[in-house]
């Protein structure tokens, strides 16, 4: 029996196939992220440069080659405080435009602790200057320098909601740069053993979730970077459970609903797909790596399903990969879930999904997996799928060249035909039985077996008619082999039948007359 006992298309995190799928996805995104990195590094300019040039102090700090001892003295002046602390910080941030000075500073003991301490201090001016210093460091092309900024991240995220626009702007720039650095570190080969445990134990994930909401005034750059960080963490089984307990599914889902609504109304800004992509992967991976029951309390808004369909339709042409990601999350939601499968029917999403079946690049297979998840829930679900117009669509997908599409179509069709006799009758009227009949001659054994099973077990009336037609066709071929001129044989048989009829009539008439004479009654011939 080829029919599966369960339809489980959700990739389990601990399965080998799931791990291979994640590795493949990670390889695919490397080129995408590299192109984005090249573009964004150009735009990460040092802010407030024009103002500093107006101050006329550029030549005193930048033109001088600073030595280790001089930087130590400058840092000590910042640490000791006093009236010159703010001016020392201002000088320090100008000095830090030199890559050599950046490397010297991060090598000094407690240098970053001093800057982080000023971020949490009471002086607004010193906070601003310290944030500028961290921004200079975070903009470095050296990974060591960027990684040194990590301890400042929680404070900077906290200050993003502040009232000081000048303070918020450098904070946001640093947060974005640090987010990019963290994302790069989480992609390292040994990230799961060394880096991810440190990130999880530091409590940084709560701040990552807090920074997800885009800032209307300053754009979504920081939210994009931290969404990618969450995605890489969600790929690790060690971190996924902690992320779920911290509300990552709820946070990402809510943001996807908001972005889906914005996309539906056309109220979007350029580059929004850069934020949607990692959010989809984060939710999808968390659902794939854990039982859905663990996330049930965070998935209470059915608008998420509608948002996923909207994203799939909107990005179908410009970004087919993003459309496929949206359907992948929808698949993981509906797998083994009667609640979300019912929501798909209640929200009338089936017609929208059917419209995506003609498209390749993995989109139609994802749609069929979602429909299979819904159909597996029982007879009533199958009946509603039939009423939604799924059978005509399956007649079309059965004729596609992709074996994966045909196999999934047969799987869904089997459940629909088993649900009611009306579905079988409608399928025959649509000419679908002819497609199954043609599939009996397919080169793949599995497809031939499945097609034969459907014809013999769910379309018995069609099988009987087919057997009768084959019988007469074979008899006709045999007759043609015995006598080359079938028309001549037919004429001979017809003439012989007429002669026999006349002879029978004449004999009967003579016997009747003879019996009447001798008055003996016998049966007529």
């Amino acid at each position: 029996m080829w029919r599966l006992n369960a339809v489980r298309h959700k990739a389990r995190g601990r399965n080998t196939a799931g791990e291979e799928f994640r590795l493949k996805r990670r390889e695919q995104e490397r080129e995408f992220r590299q192109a984005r990195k090249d573009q964004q590094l150009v735009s990460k300019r040092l802010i407030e440069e024009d103002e500093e040039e107006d101050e006329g102090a550029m030549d005193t700090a930048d033109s001088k080659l600073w030595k280790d001892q001089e930087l130590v003295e400058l840092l000590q002046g910042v640490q000791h405080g006093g009236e010159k602390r703010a001016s020392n910080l201002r000088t320090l941030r100008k000095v830090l435009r030199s890559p050599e000075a950046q490397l010297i500073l991060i090598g000094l003991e407690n240098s970053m602790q001093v800057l982080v301490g000023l971020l949490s201090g009471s002086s607004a001016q010193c906070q601003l200057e310290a944030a500028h210093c961290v921004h200079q460091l975070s903009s470095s092309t050296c990974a060591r320098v960027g990684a040194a900024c990590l301890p400042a991240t929680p404070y900077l995220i906290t200050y993003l909601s502040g009232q000081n626009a000048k303070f918020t702007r450098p904070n946001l720039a640093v947060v974005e740069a640090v987010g990019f650095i963290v994302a790069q570190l989480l992609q390292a080969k040994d990230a799961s053993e060394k880096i991810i445990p440190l990130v999880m134990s530091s409590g940084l994930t709560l701040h990552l979730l807090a920074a997800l909401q885009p800032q209307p005034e300053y754009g979504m750059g920081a939210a994009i970077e931290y969404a990618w960080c969450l995605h890489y963490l969600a790929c690790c089984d060690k971190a996924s459970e902690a992320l779920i307990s911290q509300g990552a599914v709820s946070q990402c889902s809510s943001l996807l609903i908001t972005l889906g609504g914005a996309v539906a109304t056309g109220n979007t800004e350029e580059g929004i797909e850069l934020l949607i992509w990692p959010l989809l992967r984060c939710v999808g991976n968390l659902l794939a790596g854990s039982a859905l029951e663990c996330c049930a309390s965070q998935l209470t808004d059915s608008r998420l399903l509608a948002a996923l369909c909207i994203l799939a339709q909107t990005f179908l042409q410009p970004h087919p990969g993003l459309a496929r990601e949206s359907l992948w999350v929808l698949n993981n939601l509906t797998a083994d879930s009667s609640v979300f499968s019912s929501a798909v029917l209640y929200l009338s999403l089936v017609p929208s999904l059917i419209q995506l079946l003609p498209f390749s690049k993995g989109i139609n297979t994802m749609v069929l997996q979602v429909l299979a998840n819904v159909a597996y829930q029982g007879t009533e679900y199958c009946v509603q799928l039939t009423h939604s117009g799924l059978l005509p669509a399956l007649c079309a997908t059965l004729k596609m060249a992709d074996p994966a599409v045909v196999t999934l179509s047969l799987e869904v069709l089997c459940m629909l035909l088993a649900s009611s006799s009306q579905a079988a009758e409608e399928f025959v009227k649509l000419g679908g039985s002819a497609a199954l009949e043609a599939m009996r001659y397919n080169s793949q054994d599995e497809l031939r077996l499945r097609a034969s099973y459907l014809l013999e077990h769910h379309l018995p009336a069609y099988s009987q008619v087919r057997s009768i037609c084959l019988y007469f066709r074979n008899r006709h071929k045999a007759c043609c082999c015995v006598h080359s001129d079938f028309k001549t044989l037919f004429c001979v048989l017809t003439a012989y039948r007429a002669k026999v009829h006349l002879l029978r009539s004449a004999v009967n008439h003579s016997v009747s007359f003879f019996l009447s004479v001798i008055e003996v009654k016998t049966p007529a011939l």
Side-chain angles (χ1 to χ4, degrees):
M1 193 70 69
W2 64 264
R3 183 182 177 187
L4 299 176
N5 292 326
V7 182
R8 298 177 183 270
H9 302 292
K10 182 165 61 175
R12 300 297 179 185
R14 294 175 176 82
N15 291 346
T16 303
E19 291 299 326
E20 293 179 355
F21 183 61
R22 288 181 180 178
L23 290 175
K24 182 178 179 180
R25 292 162 64 85
R26 182 169 292 188
E27 289 297 326
Q28 290 175 345
E29 75 192 23
R30 287 189 186 278
E31 295 183 2
F32 175 78
R33 282 193 56 82
Q34 184 61 44
R36 185 167 62 86
K37 174 184 177 181
D38 295 340
Q39 180 180 1
Q40 288 196 355
L41 285 181
V42 175
S43 63
K44 289 178 180 177
R45 300 180 300 272
L46 298 179
I47 59 178
E48 309 290 350
E49 285 186 354
D50 293 338
E51 291 183 5
E52 294 169 5
E53 290 177 358
D54 294 339
E55 293 174 0
M58 296 287 291
D59 54 348
T60 59
D62 294 355
S63 60
K64 181 179 179 180
L65 183 60
W66 288 76
K67 299 180 180 180
D68 294 23
Q69 185 59 37
E70 293 175 318
L71 270 176
V72 170
E73 294 176 356
L74 182 59
L75 183 62
Q76 289 177 348
V78 171
Q79 186 175 9
H80 293 159
E83 297 180 354
K84 294 184 177 181
R85 169 178 281 180
S87 61
N88 287 333
L89 281 170
R90 189 177 299 108
T91 302
L92 179 61
R93 65 145 154 159
K94 296 172 184 176
V95 170
L96 290 178
R97 291 180 180 174
S98 168
E100 294 79 8
Q102 294 173 356
L103 291 172
I104 294 174
L105 180 69
I106 64 171
L108 298 178
E109 185 178 0
N110 296 327
S111 58
M112 293 306 301
Q113 285 79 352
V114 171
L115 293 177
V116 171
L118 292 174
L119 289 175
S120 59
S122 58
S123 172
Q125 183 62 30
C126 290
Q127 285 180 336
L128 179 60
E129 295 298 338
H132 275 298
C133 291
V134 178
H135 179 225
Q136 295 286 353
L137 293 171
S138 66
S139 301
S140 173
T141 57
C142 179
R144 286 175 51 205
V145 177
C149 301
L150 293 178
T153 306
Y155 298 97
L156 297 170
I157 294 176
T158 304
Y159 297 147
L160 288 180
S161 58
Q163 301 298 321
N164 189 335
K166 287 187 176 182
F167 188 39
T168 302
R169 187 177 177 187
N171 281 351
L172 192 63
V174 176
V175 167
E176 180 179 348
V178 171
F180 185 82
I181 294 170
V182 174
Q184 297 301 309
L185 293 174
L186 292 175
Q187 294 180 80
K189 293 182 179 180
D190 56 350
S192 59
E193 291 79 18
K194 296 181 179 180
I195 299 176
I196 291 180
L198 291 176
V199 172
M200 299 305 298
S201 61
S202 67
L204 185 61
T205 52
L206 291 173
H207 299 287
L208 295 178
L209 292 170
L212 275 184
Q213 195 65 33
Q215 299 293 320
E217 184 177 356
Y218 302 106
M220 59 178 65
I224 291 173
E225 298 300 344
Y226 285 92
W228 281 105
C229 293
L230 290 171
H231 156 58
Y232 294 126
L233 290 172
C235 290
C236 179
D237 292 335
K238 299 177 181 178
S240 59
E241 295 181 2
L243 288 175
I244 292 175
S245 64
Q246 294 172 358
V249 176
S250 175
Q251 187 82 358
C252 295
S253 300
S254 299
L255 188 51
L256 282 173
I257 293 173
T258 302
L259 295 174
V263 169
T265 58
N267 184 21
T268 60
E269 59 180 287
E270 185 179 0
I272 192 174
E273 66 275 5
L274 296 177
L275 177 58
I276 295 175
W277 205 304
L279 288 174
L280 289 171
R281 292 190 174 185
C282 183
V283 175
N285 283 330
L286 291 177
L287 292 175
S290 303
L292 190 60
E293 293 77 11
C294 299
C295 309
S297 60
Q298 302 182 42
L299 295 169
T300 57
D301 196 337
S302 60
R303 292 180 301 169
L304 176 61
L305 304 179
L308 294 173
C309 286
I310 291 172
L311 295 176
Q313 291 176 322
T314 303
F315 293 101
L316 182 62
Q317 297 296 339
H319 300 287
L322 189 57
R324 185 174 59 251
E325 298 285 344
S326 302
L327 295 170
W328 175 63
V329 178
L330 183 60
N331 167 71
N332 283 4
L333 285 170
T334 54
D336 306 324
S337 174
S338 58
V339 175
F340 287 109
S341 296
S342 300
V344 170
L345 298 173
Y346 178 77
L347 297 174
S348 301
L349 300 180
V350 176
S352 299
L353 293 173
I354 291 176
Q355 293 177 0
L356 300 176
L357 284 175
F359 297 92
S360 58
K361 296 182 179 180
I363 293 175
N364 45 16
T365 55
M366 279 296 174
V367 171
L368 287 169
Q369 287 175 345
V370 172
L371 296 173
N373 290 338
V374 177
Y376 181 72
Q377 297 303 319
T379 301
E380 185 59 32
Y381 291 82
C382 292
V383 171
Q384 293 192 47
L385 287 174
T386 302
H387 291 166
S388 299
L390 183 54
L391 282 177
L394 291 178
C395 291
T397 56
L398 286 173
K399 301 176 184 178
M400 291 184 175
D402 189 351
V405 174
V406 177
T407 301
L408 283 170
S409 300
L410 289 171
E411 187 174 332
V412 177
L413 178 62
C414 182
M415 290 184 279
L416 296 187
L417 295 182
S419 65
S420 66
S421 58
Q422 290 80 4
E425 294 175 1
E426 181 181 350
F427 182 71
V428 173
K429 291 179 181 179
L430 292 170
S433 52
L436 294 179
E437 181 63 36
M439 206 174 297
R440 284 187 165 187
Y441 305 96
N442 193 280
S443 59
Q444 297 191 22
D445 295 338
E446 183 182 2
L447 295 182
R448 292 200 303 270
L449 179 63
R450 294 191 175 205
S452 299
Y453 177 86
L454 287 174
L455 288 171
E456 295 170 6
H457 291 78
H458 295 294
L459 300 171
Y462 174 80
S463 297
Q464 294 175 2
V465 173
R466 175 182 176 275
S467 300
I468 296 174
C469 292
L470 288 176
Y471 172 79
F472 281 106
R473 185 180 67 179
N474 294 333
R475 289 294 300 273
H476 173 70
K477 289 181 178 179
C479 184
C480 290
C481 293
V482 174
H483 199 294
S484 60
D485 194 348
F486 183 80
K487 290 185 177 180
T488 303
L489 177 62
F490 178 78
C491 293
V492 172
L493 291 176
T494 302
Y496 179 76
R497 186 181 62 177
K499 291 180 180 180
V500 170
H501 179 71
L502 292 174
L503 179 61
R504 180 184 290 273
S505 299
V507 171
N508 284 338
H509 178 72
S510 299
V511 171
S512 298
F513 176 75
F514 180 76
L515 290 176
S516 64
V517 172
I518 64 175
E519 296 181 353
V520 178
K521 297 190 182 232
T522 57
L525 294 176

